[in-house]
Amino acid sequence: MCATVFYQCHWRVTNDLNAKGAEDMKILVVDDNESIVNLLSDILSKTGFHTVATALGSREAMDLIRSAEPAFDCFVVDIQMPDIDGIELTRFIRSDPRHKQAPVVILTAMHQKAYLDRAFAAGATDYATKPFNFVELRKLIQSARKVAMDPTRQPAPDFAASEEMANVRPIARSFDEPVALPDIANAFGKFEFDNYVIQLASRKLSRSAVFAVELRGAEEMFKKMPAEEFDRIVAMTAKAIEATCLRPGGALSYRGSGIFMVTRPIWFMKPLVTCQQRISAAFDRMLGQDAPEDAPSLIVGQPVALGMMSRVDAVAALTRAVANLEQNPSGRNSGNVSQRAFLRSATMPEKQRLEKLSYETLLRETMPEETNDGWSRILSRKTRETYADRRTDMTPAKTG
């Protein structure tokens, strides 16, 4: 019955988004450099048919965000701005309920991992370094729109406040939907985590690893208990992972289907058995006397190293990390479970999603971008001129 009682209005939200058109989004571009703002406005409005607003700095952006009607669909934000930087502006965006899930693409000339960590911890969805290629930027915005249209990111409607919705029955969330983890500092959504890992893997000196943790038996628990209680178990698992496995520089994400993904610096990685024992012990302590009879077990997969990878290889690393859960001997706690039944475990939806992402990423890397040649030449020239002007402005004047 649960599977058939989804939010009936869920279709309405998705249809409203689709009605906006295949490309159209209301985007706010924020940078303290007027040349960069004008360049980005040209790129986004002329090649994507987007409605673009601009702000020269964070204070002007905050005023536009407060008064926006309708709300913005996406933000493109520079990190390095005077007074209020892009990180603080991203936190401000996330504090506004209307923009809590809107994609935020961070632009920066900084390549250090510390900036990457701060940006995603503040709520960034994706990250690009300057000087940017306008074709690549367009792809980032297309990816951002896909994130904005994802039904799981849409706010739940207020049934009590709407007479029209009075007779619409809200339904239980599906098992493979993510759960928000607001109490974990470095907990990212699934899209944000994927993009974070892709960025992390491209950096030479940020040696990290990614591994998966599964709540084995979570699906049966999900079917038997209220959604709020299941969310509490998920949050408790995240707290156990945070307490035992996250160090400065680490991050986690709950993917749905009882699967967590975790990154941490590779030099902090402990042997697989030790890591699993520590997480399980912390989880058991948190459950305490409230542990259900059929409490799930925690399974940890072998970590996969990241470092100097292409986007395609980074997504493949995520897929391998999930697949490694199936290689953990402690996960096969029953000798009479068939291989077919074992492979139908909760890891399968996440593996399928990552395999689809891997395919899309491969196409993105290898297929030529369909653009208007005239605009390509114009925007390429404007990009060169913009950065040439900026370099000239930063060159110290000769004296004497």
Side-chain angles (χ1 to χ4, degrees):
M1 185 68 178
C2 273
T4 61
V5 241
F6 223 112
Y7 284 122
Q8 295 177 20
C9 61
H10 198 63
W11 299 341
R12 189 170 307 182
V13 171
T14 304
N15 287 337
D16 288 345
L17 286 165
N18 287 331
K20 298 181 69 177
E23 294 283 349
D24 185 39
M25 285 197 300
K26 183 181 177 182
I27 302 174
L28 178 60
V29 174
V30 188
D31 198 302
D32 62 317
N33 183 288
E34 189 172 4
S35 297
I36 298 289
V37 165
N38 291 337
L39 172 65
L40 289 170
S41 182
D42 279 342
I43 291 172
L44 298 175
S45 60
K46 298 298 193 296
T47 65
F49 309 107
H50 302 298
T51 302
V52 182
T54 60
L56 289 172
S58 293
R59 292 197 183 279
E60 184 179 340
M62 288 175 174
D63 290 338
L64 289 174
I65 291 166
R66 290 188 188 101
S67 61
E69 199 60 52
F72 289 104
D73 300 308
C74 180
F75 298 86
V76 179
V77 177
D78 183 37
I79 279 189
Q80 291 183 295
M81 294 185 287
D83 196 9
I84 301 172
D85 68 11
I87 303 293
E88 287 303 316
L89 178 59
T90 301
R91 292 195 182 100
F92 174 82
I93 292 168
R94 291 294 179 236
S95 70
D96 182 343
R98 298 186 305 159
H99 298 111
K100 199 169 187 65
Q101 299 292 346
V104 178
V105 178
I106 293 287
L107 300 179
T108 179
M110 312 306 293
H111 292 259
Q112 294 93 325
K113 181 177 179 293
Y115 286 92
L116 182 72
D117 290 346
R118 288 182 62 221
F120 278 92
T125 308
D126 214 337
Y127 193 94
T129 52
K130 299 178 184 177
F132 47 79
N133 176 292
F134 89 93
V135 173
E136 181 61 24
L137 180 62
R138 185 183 180 191
K139 290 176 180 177
L140 283 177
I141 298 301
Q142 288 171 337
S143 296
R145 186 182 183 280
K146 181 180 176 182
V147 171
M149 289 193 63
D150 184 75
T152 64
R153 296 174 72 95
Q154 305 312 315
D158 186 350
F159 291 95
S162 171
E163 292 182 12
E164 183 184 358
M165 294 294 191
N167 297 319
V168 177
R169 287 198 300 170
I171 58 177
R173 184 185 62 246
S174 66
F175 177 58
D176 60 359
E177 280 189 45
V179 173
L181 299 169
D183 296 330
I184 308 293
N186 278 13
F188 304 155
K190 62 180 180 181
F191 295 103
E192 289 80 0
F193 188 85
D194 292 346
N195 291 333
Y196 175 74
V197 167
I198 287 168
Q199 292 293 330
L200 196 62
S202 69
R203 282 159 171 73
K204 185 186 299 183
L205 299 179
S206 58
R207 293 287 294 163
S208 298
V210 60
F211 64 96
V213 179
E214 182 185 354
L215 266 170
R216 187 65 55 85
E219 187 166 14
E220 288 304 311
M221 181 180 291
F222 177 83
K223 293 174 181 176
K224 294 176 181 177
M225 62 175 50
E228 296 79 7
E229 182 62 17
F230 181 78
D231 290 355
R232 190 180 73 87
I233 298 294
V234 168
M236 205 175 291
T237 308
K239 280 287 187 185
I241 295 171
E242 180 188 41
T244 57
C245 286
L246 283 192
R247 300 284 181 125
L252 68 82
S253 174
Y254 179 65
R255 323 287 287 180
S257 303
I259 305 293
F260 295 80
M261 299 291 284
V262 185
T263 65
R264 64 182 299 184
I266 202 164
W267 49 84
F268 286 135
M269 291 303 303
K270 296 186 180 296
L272 177 62
V273 174
T274 304
C275 188
Q276 182 164 306
Q277 289 172 343
R278 292 182 63 184
I279 297 175
S280 296
F283 180 64
D284 290 343
R285 284 196 300 272
M286 291 177 186
L287 279 176
Q289 299 298 320
D290 298 329
E293 288 184 16
D294 53 350
S297 57
L298 287 171
I299 307 300
V300 177
Q302 193 70 34
V304 178
L306 304 170
M308 290 308 292
M309 292 177 170
S310 67
R311 296 178 67 93
V312 174
D313 289 339
V315 175
L318 287 168
T319 306
R320 286 199 305 276
V322 174
N324 285 348
L325 287 167
E326 296 167 3
Q327 308 305 318
N328 187 326
S330 60
R332 306 176 189 244
N333 50 16
S334 176
N336 58 3
V337 175
S338 69
Q339 179 71 5
R340 179 179 297 179
F342 180 74
L343 291 177
R344 286 201 304 264
S345 68
T347 64
M348 292 307 292
E350 179 62 10
K351 282 177 63 180
Q352 290 165 356
R353 191 193 73 80
L354 287 170
E355 284 165 2
K356 180 183 176 185
L357 177 61
S358 182
Y359 178 70
E360 291 172 351
T361 304
L362 181 61
L363 288 180
R364 171 176 169 168
E365 296 290 308
T366 58
M367 295 295 286
E369 176 75 5
E370 294 182 7
T371 58
N372 178 280
D373 289 340
W375 271 111
S376 297
R377 288 193 295 272
I378 293 169
L379 292 172
S380 295
R381 187 185 74 241
K382 288 187 115 180
T383 302
R384 290 194 299 272
E385 290 172 354
T386 296
Y387 283 102
D389 291 345
R390 194 164 193 179
R391 284 194 296 271
T392 301
D393 293 342
M394 295 174 65
T395 303
K398 293 183 180 179
T399 56

